[in-house]
């Protein structure tokens, strides 16, 4: 392990994080709280983060809620406990702030499934279409888009447009297909998907439902159509959380990344939450990108203010326009994360 800060800084691009030894006697929760106060820093975390990170965060939310918070925060430093496109969105929206990501390699398979040069060629073939992109994409894709959406506002945004408006939806074919189905639209879909949500096994979920007939199946719209078809409720992470808290059922099978079970259980301690099983030998449905962030990396990035999200200004301005459009529409439509 590297101990020296300069050595660690030199290796940050290769490793993705500051690899510096931490005094094992430190109470990281206390240290992080101290750093928050000293540096006027705010920790924004997604529900897929490990429980310790969720517990120390100032705000936990879905992609829309996190973007809204990042745009409005008055903290000097935004520590983003999530993946790269989320921290990048925070920087796009609030460029005067220092935005830190505990591990720069915390990417997203869905975002990676849509490289900007290929998408540009696809878009150029359909000049009469506007582009709505799911926020899980790079700044390069955002800059090629007209409106950004998240899983909590995608349907409302699409339905707010004239019925004859031709639309390309990128990059998630599952979310796009779901919106087509519920809104009766025929959007052209980019063929991208999330590795975590695509892996749920319909067969195993069906067996689980048979064993727990009283349990309701809640699913994120990034899941495949076959899983969505048998779901009792479909929504963004925040919407799933609210549903499981308010619904009178006592048990739920949860088809999204397992990190959210922590908040579900905290919000409704007497209820039972079962993670939907994936189609592989291990019983894990963790996002390997989200889970690259750890409490140790969070502490180091706050202490040394690295790794930092830096962006080309021209790209940032181009990527901001469709996000602003989403935030404006969300305001008009009364949508929050
Ligand atoms: P939401 O939290 O916006 O539902 O997004 C889920 C997700 O996959 C984030 O990467
Ligand atoms: Fe990307 Fe899927 Fe991980 Fe979300 S869960 S960050 S969409 S790979």
């Amino acid at each position: 392990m590297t101990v020296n800060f300069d050595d660690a800084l030199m290796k940050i691009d290769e490793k993705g994080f500051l690899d510096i030894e931490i005094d094992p006697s430190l109470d990281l929760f206390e240290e992080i709280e101290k750093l928050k106060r000293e540096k006027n820093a705010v920790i924004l975390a997604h529900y897929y983060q490990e429980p310790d990170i969720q517990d120390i965060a100032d705000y936990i939310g879905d992609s829309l809620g996190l973007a809204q918070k990042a745009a409005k925060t008055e903290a000097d430093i935004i520590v983003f406990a999530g993946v790269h496109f989320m921290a990048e969105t925070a920087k796009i929206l609030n460029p005067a702030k220092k935005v830190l990501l505990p591990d720069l390699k915390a990417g997203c398979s869905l975002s990676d499934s849509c490289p900007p040069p290929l998408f540009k060629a696809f878009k150029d073939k359909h000049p009469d279409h506007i582009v709505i992109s799911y926020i899980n994409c790079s700044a390069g894709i955002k800059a090629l888009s007209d409106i950004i959406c998240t899983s909590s506002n995608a349907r409302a945004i699409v339905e707010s447009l004239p019925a004859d408006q031709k639309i390309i939806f990128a990059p998630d074919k599952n979310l796009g297909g779901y919106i087509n189905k519920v809104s009766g639209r025929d959007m052209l879909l980019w063929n991208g998907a999330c590795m975590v949500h695509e892996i749920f096994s319909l067969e195993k979920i069906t067996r689980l439902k048979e064993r727990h007939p009283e349990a309701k199946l809640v699913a994120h719209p990034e899941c495949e159509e076959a899983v969505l078809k048998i779901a009792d409720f479909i929504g963004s992470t925040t919407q799933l959380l609210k549903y499981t808290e308010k619904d009178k059922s006592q048990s739920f099978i949860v088809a999204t990344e397992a990190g959210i079970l922590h908040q579900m259980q905290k919000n409704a301690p007497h209820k039972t939450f079962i993670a939907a099983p994936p189609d592989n030998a291990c019983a894990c449905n963790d996002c390997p990108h989200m889970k690259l962030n750890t409490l140790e990396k969070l502490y180091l990035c706050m202490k040394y203010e690295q790794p930092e999200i830096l962006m080309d200004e021209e790209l940032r301005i181009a990527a901001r326009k469709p996000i602003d459009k989403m935030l404006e529409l969300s305001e008009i439509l009364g949508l929050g994360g």
Side-chain angles (χ1 to χ4, degrees):
M1 185 179 268
T2 318
V3 246
N4 176 289
F5 172 70
D6 294 326
D7 284 355
L9 193 58
M10 267 173 41
K11 289 192 180 155
I12 209 164
D13 286 339
E14 177 199 322
K15 296 210 169 198
F17 63 96
L18 281 175
D19 190 2
I20 298 176
E21 213 160 335
I22 299 175
D23 175 354
S25 68
L26 284 182
D27 176 336
L28 290 186
F29 285 94
E30 238 172 61
E31 295 301 317
I32 289 171
E33 289 295 353
K34 232 191 280 171
L35 288 167
K36 270 200 229 175
R37 286 192 300 274
E38 280 168 20
K39 300 187 181 223
N40 187 25
V42 67
I43 302 177
L44 307 184
H46 189 266
Y47 295 117
Y48 297 165
Q49 292 295 285
E50 61 173 52
D52 281 351
I53 294 181
Q54 293 189 37
D55 289 345
I56 197 124
D58 298 290
Y59 175 81
I60 324 170
D62 67 3
S63 308
L64 178 61
L66 288 164
Q68 288 169 326
K69 271 274 175 269
K72 290 193 180 138
T73 184
E74 283 178 5
D76 295 316
I77 298 179
I78 299 172
V79 188
F80 217 110
V83 289
H84 192 276
F85 77 81
M86 295 177 169
E88 191 174 62
T89 302
K91 186 69 186 174
I92 292 169
L93 286 167
N94 214 336
K97 310 295 179 190
K98 186 176 257 189
V99 179
L100 306 173
L101 180 64
D103 191 325
L104 274 185
K105 294 206 178 197
C108 168
S109 65
L110 182 50
S111 176
D112 292 347
S113 69
C114 195
L118 290 185
F119 184 70
K120 165 117 183 29
F122 177 70
K123 180 186 158 169
D124 288 347
K125 282 194 196 141
H126 305 282
D128 52 344
H129 286 58
I130 65 157
V131 175
I132 301 185
S133 294
Y134 186 34
I135 199 164
N136 297 36
C137 65
S138 63
I141 295 296
K142 289 185 174 82
L144 292 167
S145 305
D146 296 288
I147 314 175
I148 294 302
C149 70
T150 72
S151 51
S152 58
N153 60 20
R155 180 178 181 176
I157 285 180
V158 169
E159 289 181 341
S160 74
L161 300 171
D164 59 351
Q165 173 67 61
K166 292 182 177 168
I167 302 169
I168 292 174
F169 189 89
D172 189 10
K173 64 175 181 198
N174 292 320
L175 175 62
Y178 168 66
I179 302 298
N180 270 345
K181 200 170 156 211
V182 292
S183 67
R185 306 274 170 143
D186 186 23
M187 300 187 294
L188 264 184
L189 307 180
W190 180 262
N191 189 20
C194 156
M195 63 191 284
V196 179
H197 290 86
E198 275 234 306
I199 209 170
F200 290 116
S201 160
L202 180 64
E203 207 186 313
K204 289 186 194 171
I205 293 177
T206 308
R207 282 209 300 268
L208 203 55
K209 273 176 81 110
E210 281 162 12
R211 282 215 314 276
H212 302 273
E214 74 297 344
K216 282 197 173 158
L217 173 65
V218 298
H220 194 277
E222 286 174 24
C223 293
E224 286 183 325
E225 190 184 359
V227 171
L228 297 180
K229 229 179 190 162
I230 59 164
D232 296 288
F233 181 77
I234 298 165
S236 76
T237 49
T238 296
Q239 290 165 343
L240 297 181
L241 188 63
K242 285 185 181 156
Y243 178 82
T244 55
E245 196 181 345
K246 295 208 174 104
D247 190 79
K248 56 181 187 309
S249 304
Q250 292 304 300
S251 52
F252 299 89
I253 299 168
V254 182
T256 190
E257 210 267 2
I260 192 148
L261 267 69
H262 179 61
Q263 286 306 315
M264 286 179 168
Q265 200 69 75
K266 263 178 112 169
N267 286 3
H270 53 286
K271 294 189 180 179
T272 305
F273 298 98
I274 309 162
D279 197 9
N280 59 19
C282 90
C284 127
N285 48 7
D286 280 341
C287 170
H289 305 289
M290 285 279 183
K291 295 301 194 296
L292 280 179
N293 294 327
T294 60
L295 201 64
E296 288 74 16
K297 289 179 191 172
L298 182 72
Y299 163 71
L300 287 172
C301 99
M302 290 182 76
K303 181 168 159 81
Y304 296 102
E305 301 183 19
Q306 288 289 342
E308 183 184 357
I309 301 288
L310 299 170
M311 285 193 75
D312 171 75
E313 185 59 5
E314 213 175 303
L315 176 62
R316 190 191 69 75
I317 292 168
R320 177 161 185 153
K321 265 202 223 153
I323 308 176
D324 278 345
K325 185 93 190 135
M326 168 185 82
L327 294 176
E328 272 165 38
L329 281 170
S330 299
E331 195 93 356
I332 295 166
L333 300 166
L335 306 163

